[in-house]
Amino acid sequence: MSNGPLYSVRMRAAQGGAHEEGGRHISGGERLGRAEELERLAAELVRKALTHSRGTPDFINVTIEALPADAVQRLVPLPVSTIAVTSVEEGRERAAALLREAGVSEKAVRRGLELLKCSVNLRGAAILDARTGERLDGRGLKGVRVSRMDWDRDGYAQWLRDHPHLSSPRVAEALALATKVASAPGTVAELCWSDDPEYVTGYVASRGSGYVRVTRLKHAGDLSGGRVFFAHGDVNLAEYIRYLERQPVWIG
Ligand code: AMP
């Protein structure tokens, strides 16, 4: 790969107009790459937008932006484990227990679960106070989108050799995101299940537990989903969000 500028490539897609005009969120994606990779990365993101099971978008925005040369951080991916459950109820109880072990209060756990159950059009993550459960970001349906992270290509090839059973791009993207989120000092834990009606596996992630997949966190066909970041109540919110949205990070 060349040593030229590093670019952030981001996509967001909606149906019924742009997000800011009330369109329904379909899909989003974040990659990093050098100049010679940009056409491929943009094409992959457009394909992702056009093949999402939430529907066909009529709005797709792809943004490509050069990043400052000096600022890239490197992170080792969180260790991955899987808890197999036989029902959504069991899955949510196991996820709740993992969140409590990470330091999230019972009240905040319940708020987080309720929020994801009710969210069918959340485009980013909701940040909740890990003690009180209060929503801190105030961004509504837009939420906070973690951006400017991607796998180092050699690092990912190595990770895949070690985890051949986890070869889907979905896991790669989610693990990169969760690793960046867990590395932020303000984060206590993360809860995610996808808003993709066909994908029912979700996860809890934290520095202590790693990335723990839970095989059923919702019913097939359910459009609900999103991400909740549980944060320390005394977090510097502006600084925390700046890190999540803007700090470039290579994983691997
Ligand atoms: P996905 O993992 O792509 O199925 O996304 C599921 C949900 O997670 C989305 O509807 C958003 O609410 C949230 N989400 C996806 N990508 C991001 C991101 N980069 N930053 C924050 N939240 C995200």
Side-chain angles (χ1 to χ4, degrees), residues 83-96 214 216-217:
I83 296 179
V85 294
T86 51
S87 69
V88 175
E89 294 67 32
E90 184 191 353
R92 290 182 181 171
E93 274 317 310
R94 297 297 293 269
V214 181
R216 275 187 209 191
L217 282 181

Side-chain angles (χ1 to χ4, degrees), residues 73 75-79 146 174-190 203-211 229-230 232 240 243-244 251:
Q73 187 184 357
L75 294 173
V76 175
L78 291 172
V146 186
L175 181 56
L177 185 153
T179 299
K180 182 177 179 189
V181 173
S183 79
T187 301
V188 175
E190 175 188 355
Y203 66 83
V204 169
S206 71
R207 279 183 298 283
S209 67
Y211 178 97
F229 303 157
F230 296 94
H232 294 288
Y240 183 55
Y243 176 81
L244 296 175
I251 311 291

Side-chain angles (χ1 to χ4, degrees), residues 21 26 33 92 94 102 119-120 125-126 130 140 157 188 193 202:
E21 286 159 9
I26 297 290
R92 290 182 181 171
R94 297 297 293 269
S119 294
V120 289
V188 175
W193 70 77

Side-chain angles (χ1 to χ4, degrees), residues 25 30 122-125 144-146 170 177 194-195 226-227:
H25 179 64
E30 338 278 327
L122 182 61
R123 187 168 123 208
V144 173
R145 268 202 84 89
V146 186
R170 183 191 292 278
L177 185 153
S194 179
D195 54 359
R227 283 179 159 86

